[in-house]
Amino acid sequence: MRAFLISSALVAALATPALATETGAPAPLLSVEADAPAPLAQLVPLAADSAWTPRFAAAADELAAALRSRDEARWVPLLGGQWLAAEERARVAGLLRDGDSPFRHAFFSKGFANRAILGWSAPASLSADERSAIEAGQEAEALVCWSAGGAGGQWPATAADADNRADRPYACARIAYSIRGDTPTWRAFIEQPPA
């Protein structure tokens, strides 16, 4: 019976003449209006009293030291180790060598390197219990950004701004942190603009 109903509906749909538009083309059955793009989540500094702040700070320090060394044996394991594609490895190595790279300015200039640890701002609609659950979670992500000397006050506003383009006054890495299991683990990702 069910198969008959489905077949009947299909026959009825195919037998119905398509509505024509002014151009003579059939009108679409579904709206073709594009949905408005969702606004990008704004980044905010991680709260100093967050349980995640010291974890991300330690990971950021380890990552910065490895990237400053330019030694692939030190930074590759932090960016995925054996799962880091050869193309991605070459891109990161290029960022560390390129004189116009934000990493070169942030890590190898004579000015003091500033650091910001940024998270995504939680929607105002979250209750206190929902915010506590996020804070008590076992996994979190943050963006860690560095800049040389005087550019310390300018940080990305959204994750899209953390793409490490040559004209950025900061260099960024996304760190995914997990405290599941016996040993806390984290992995860094360095976004790069399309070539």
Side-chain angles (χ1 to χ4, degrees):
M1 180 69 175
R2 183 175 176 197
F4 176 73
L5 291 175
I6 293 172
S7 297
S8 297
L10 183 59
V11 168
L14 294 175
T16 304
L19 300 174
T21 62
E22 291 179 11
T23 62
L29 297 176
L30 299 174
S31 172
V32 292
E33 292 181 28
D35 292 336
L40 296 174
Q42 294 296 305
L43 296 172
V44 294
L46 250 54
D49 61 349
S50 169
W52 290 101
T53 299
R55 293 177 180 129
F56 282 115
D61 290 345
E62 186 177 349
L63 180 60
L67 292 172
R68 274 190 188 104
S69 76
R70 298 184 194 155
D71 180 2
E72 286 191 29
R74 288 185 63 189
W75 58 259
V76 165
L78 304 178
L79 298 175
Q82 65 184 0
W83 293 281
L84 183 64
E87 179 181 292
E88 292 302 311
R89 182 186 297 215
R91 283 184 174 191
V92 172
L95 280 174
L96 297 175
R97 283 190 312 267
D98 182 0
D100 292 328
S101 162
F103 281 93
R104 287 290 298 236
H105 297 296
F107 289 148
F108 306 110
S109 68
K110 293 184 181 181
F112 173 76
N114 298 298
R115 178 187 73 199
I117 302 173
L118 308 167
W120 289 261
S121 59
S125 61
L126 289 182
S127 69
D129 289 341
E130 290 170 321
R131 289 176 190 272
S132 294
I134 291 171
E135 181 69 19
Q138 295 182 307
E139 295 178 346
E141 284 191 1
L143 283 172
V144 178
C145 299
W146 301 270
S147 69
Q154 187 176 359
W155 301 111
T158 67
D161 300 329
D163 59 0
N164 297 306
R165 282 191 342 226
D167 62 341
R168 301 284 189 202
Y170 47 75
C172 298
R174 180 173 51 92
I175 296 178
Y177 206 108
S178 174
I179 55 173
R180 293 183 187 276
D182 297 334
T183 307
T185 59
W186 61 270
R187 178 179 175 189
F189 302 86
I190 296 177
E191 303 298 332
Q192 297 176 57

